[in-house]
Amino acid sequence: MRFVTYTSADGDRVGVINGDLIHALPRGTTLVELLPSLREAGARALAEPDETVALADVTLRAPIPRPPSLRDCLCFLDHMRGCLRAAGGTGTLEQVWYQIPAFYFANPATVIGPHDDVPISPGSAWFDFELEIGAVIGAPGRDLTPEQAEGHIAGYTLYCDWSARDLQGLESQLKIGQAKGKDGATTLGPWLVTPDELPFLENGRLALQVRAEVNGEPVGEGRTDAMDWSFGEVVSYASRGVELQPGDVFGSGTVPGCCLLEHLDFGDLGAFRGWLKDGDVVSLRAEGLGEVRQTVRAGAAPHPLAARPDPAAPVRRPRVNPAEPALPYTKGLHQVGDGVWAWLLPDGGYGMSNAGLVAGDGASLLVDTLYDLPLTAEMLSGMRPITDRHPLSHAVLTHANGDHTHGGQLLPGSVRLIAAEGTAHEMRTEMPPELTAALQVMDLGPTLSRYLRDRFRPFDFGGIRLRIPDQTYDRRLNLDVGGREVHVLNLGPAHTEADTIVHVPDAGVLFAGDLLFIGCTPIVWSGPIANWITACDTMIGLDAAVVVPGHGPVTDADGIRAVRDYLRHVVEQADAAYAKGLDFQEAAFGIDLAEYADWLDAERVVVNVYQRYRELHPDQPAIDRFALFGLMAEWDRRRQS
C-alpha cells in the first residue's frame, strides 16, 4: 500500500492511493498513529473511505510531516569514499567505518514535502542534494536484533538530505558533528510504501533502482542493494538502550553517485557542473517509491557574527595601502574625467578591485564587475543616477579573474558583454565561481587556512552564475558609446591569458585592469613578465592624465612606471638567484624587495619568481595554484613573525 499526507481545507489528511484516487481516512487521523496497524487501517480506507479525491488535485505533504526523530545513516561506504576523494583525499576510510554503522540526528522541524521549494541554507554557496531511502519505524522497540529491527519497519519513502557542503566542511573542523551544514531541509515523499510492495534480496537488503537529475540532466544512478550496512543493522544499532518510536525515520545515506559532491574533482574543476542555484530543479526517483521534484530557491542572507579573538594568532601588521592617491581613496563612485567615473574598493588587496563607468549621449559603458553579487549590486545602485540617464549599453571585462567578472549576471540582458577571446576562454574553462568558497572553508593546515580566510573572508560567493561574454575580440576594438570613441586593447598575456585596457581618449582616462596594482603587489599568473613590462610601456605611451588601476588608488603615468620597475626588479633578482644555482623557493624566500617591500600582499613575489624561473627553465616542474598559495602563506608567515 501507498500512504500519503495531503493538504485540505480542514488541515492535513491521510489516505491510501488507489489508482489515481486517494481514499481518505477520517479527519484528524495522522499517519504516525496508524503505523502500528498500517495495513489494517489501509484496508478499511479502501473499503469505506471517508472521502475520495484525485491525487492530481491535492498538494502532497511529507508522509510524516513532523517525525518524532530523524536519523540520517551512512549505509553506503562507497559514498563516503567518493566524498573523501572529492575533498582531495585517497578515499580510504578509517577502520571504525567497518566496525559500526554511522548516523547523526537531523532536524524533524525542517522536513518538507515532495514538491515544495527548497531554500538554500543561509550563507551557503555549495548547496547539494543527496538521494537516499527513508525507513519509517512502525512499532516501539528497544535493544532489537537486526532481524527484529527489519520487522519494526512499517514502510519506506524517498529521502533527500539537502546539504550545505561549505558550511558542513567548515563545521566539520570543530569535530563535534553536524550543524548548520545539515540543518536546512529534509525531503520525505511522495508517499510511504509498505514493505510487501517492494523487492528485497535474500539477504534482506532493499533492491531498488534510483536516479537523480538536475534540470533534466542526469547526475547519478545506482541501486539500494549496494548498502554495506542494512536497514536492519542500523536500526538495531540505534535501538541499543533506546526505545524507538512509531514514526522515527532512518535515512539510508546517499546512494553512491547520487549527489553533486562525489562528482567534484579538484584536478578537473572545469568539468564540475557547479552547485545548486536559485531556479535549479532537482528530480529524484526510486523504483516503487515514486519521484520527488523540487525547485531550489535563494535563501535568506545570514546575520553576521563577529569572530572571537584568537589568543594564539600571531599579531599581524596593519594592512595599509602605502600609495599616494591622486584622488581620495574611499569606497564608492568618484568622477575621474568628463563623463567618466571610477568605482573604488579599498584597500586593493585580494578581491578588492576597481571598476569604471563611461557615459555618452544616452548610453554608457561599464568596465568590469566585482567579486560577488552583493558588491556588484551595491556598485550598480551607486551608478544608477548616471545610468538612469545614460543606460548601460556595453560592458567590458578586462580579464577573467572572478573579482572582475562574477557580477555579470546582474547586468541587464540588453547590455553587450565584451572581452578578449583569451578572457572568454579562461572564463569557460576555469572552476565554477562558487568553488572559490573553498578558500574560506577548507582545512588546508594552520598556515594556509589562516592566510586564505584572512584574505577572502569578506566575500559571498553564493548564487553566482558566470555570464560569458556576448562578443570577443583579438587585439583591438573601437566602441561607440553614445557618440564617444572608446578604445579597447588586449595587451596580454601577462597577469592572465588576456589583459584588456580601456582608453577614453577625449577624457584622458585609462582603465588598466589588473595590469596595474597600485600600492599592492602585482601577481603574474600567466606571463611572460616581458609582456607585462611591454604593456606598461604601451600604457605610458597613451599619455592618459588619469589612470584607474584594477586594484589600488587612482594614479597616473608614475604609477605605471612603478609597476614596470617592480617587475624589472623581480626579473633582476630572480635571474641573479638562478645564476647562483638557487631553486625558485630559495630565490623567492631570500629576495630583496627593496622599496617594494611595503606594498600590500608582498608575498605574491613567490608566484612572480616562480613564473620567471619557468621562463628561464621551461622544464621547471609545474606547481598548482593551491600549492603556490601555500608557499605565499608561508612567506607571509615568516615575514609577520
Side-chain angles (χ1 to χ4, degrees), residues 267-284:
D268 186 14
L269 292 173
F272 184 57
R273 74 162 304 280
W275 304 102
L276 297 173
K277 300 182 182 68
D278 181 61
D280 283 340
V281 178
V282 177
S283 300
L284 309 179

Side-chain angles (χ1 to χ4, degrees), residues 310-537:
D310 180 357
V315 177
R316 296 188 59 84
R317 301 178 185 183
R319 286 182 61 87
V320 178
N321 189 304
E324 289 292 333
L327 293 172
Y329 188 35
T330 55
K331 181 180 179 179
L333 197 63
H334 300 261
Q335 187 159 10
V336 294
D338 182 17
V340 184
W341 293 262
W343 183 272
L344 304 180
L345 196 57
D347 56 15
Y350 283 106
M352 298 297 186
S353 58
N354 301 327
L357 181 66
V358 182
D361 185 9
S364 61
L365 175 147
L366 180 71
V367 181
D368 284 334
T369 66
L370 300 179
Y371 209 5
D372 62 22
L373 300 184
L375 284 172
T376 303
E378 180 185 18
M379 177 183 73
L380 294 177
S381 176
M383 292 177 171
R384 193 158 293 132
I386 301 158
T387 56
D388 281 348
R389 292 181 288 112
H390 308 280
L392 283 173
S393 56
H394 302 78
V396 172
L397 302 179
T398 59
H399 62 291
N401 286 172
D403 52 347
H404 297 258
T405 63
H406 279 177
Q409 75 191 72
L410 298 183
L411 300 177
S414 59
V415 174
R416 189 159 189 79
L417 194 61
I418 300 168
E421 176 54 42
T423 295
H425 174 262
E426 281 193 293
M427 292 175 68
R428 288 190 293 262
T429 56
E430 67 178 12
M431 68 180 183
E434 66 271 21
L435 284 180
T436 312
L439 306 177
Q440 300 169 317
V441 301
M442 287 184 68
D443 183 2
L444 300 167
T447 299
L448 182 53
S449 293
R450 189 186 299 275
Y451 174 81
L452 293 176
R453 291 173 192 176
D454 177 66
R455 298 302 198 269
F456 293 95
R457 181 179 290 113
F459 307 107
D460 176 2
F461 298 113
I464 299 170
R465 293 182 185 270
L466 198 61
R467 180 173 169 182
I468 301 300
D470 306 303
Q471 177 183 348
T472 61
Y473 77 101
D474 183 20
R475 303 307 300 179
R476 182 184 180 96
L477 180 68
N478 291 338
L479 295 175
D480 183 315
V481 180
R484 300 186 75 169
E485 186 174 10
V486 177
H487 300 164
V488 181
L489 299 89
N490 172 18
L491 303 184
H495 172 60
T496 59
E497 184 176 324
D499 293 288
T500 287
I501 62 172
V502 177
H503 184 213
V504 190
D506 66 2
V509 176
L510 173 66
F511 293 96
D514 277 10
L515 288 172
L516 280 192
F517 292 73
I518 301 300
C520 37
T521 306
I523 188 165
V524 187
W525 287 124
S526 292
I529 297 176
N531 275 15
W532 200 329
I533 293 172
T534 299
C536 289
D537 289 333

Side-chain angles (χ1 to χ4, degrees), residues 199-357:
F200 290 82
L201 299 181
E202 290 184 2
N203 61 11
R205 279 167 169 71
L206 189 63
L208 306 178
Q209 183 73 30
V210 302
R211 179 180 175 88
E213 297 178 351
V214 176
N215 300 329
E217 296 292 328
V219 171
E221 58 184 357
R223 294 190 59 83
T224 61
D225 48 18
M227 296 169 78
D228 295 276
W229 296 98
S230 70
F231 274 118
E233 289 169 323
V234 297
V235 172
S236 170
Y237 180 69
S239 75
R240 293 179 181 180
V242 173
E243 182 83 9
L244 302 182
Q245 300 297 319
D248 287 348
V249 177
F250 285 77
S252 65
T254 309
V255 178
C258 293
C259 67
L260 297 176
L261 176 60
E262 289 184 64
H263 300 280
L264 174 62
D265 179 359
F266 276 96
D268 186 14
L269 292 173
F272 184 57
R273 74 162 304 280
W275 304 102
L276 297 173
K277 300 182 182 68
D278 181 61
D280 283 340
V281 178
V282 177
S283 300
L284 309 179
R285 305 185 190 96
E287 174 188 0
L289 296 182
E291 176 183 17
V292 300
R293 181 179 177 86
Q294 298 176 273
T295 302
V296 173
R297 294 301 183 195
H303 298 293
L305 299 175
R308 304 298 91 169
D310 180 357
V315 177
R316 296 188 59 84
R317 301 178 185 183
R319 286 182 61 87
V320 178
N321 189 304
E324 289 292 333
L327 293 172
Y329 188 35
T330 55
K331 181 180 179 179
L333 197 63
H334 300 261
Q335 187 159 10
V336 294
D338 182 17
V340 184
W341 293 262
W343 183 272
L344 304 180
L345 196 57
D347 56 15
Y350 283 106
M352 298 297 186
S353 58
N354 301 327
L357 181 66

Side-chain angles (χ1 to χ4, degrees), residues 5-14 26-30 59 61-62 65:
T5 298
Y6 63 96
T7 60
S8 74
D10 301 319
D12 287 352
R13 298 290 304 271
V14 174
R27 288 172 175 77
T29 304
T30 67
T59 298
R61 301 257 299 175

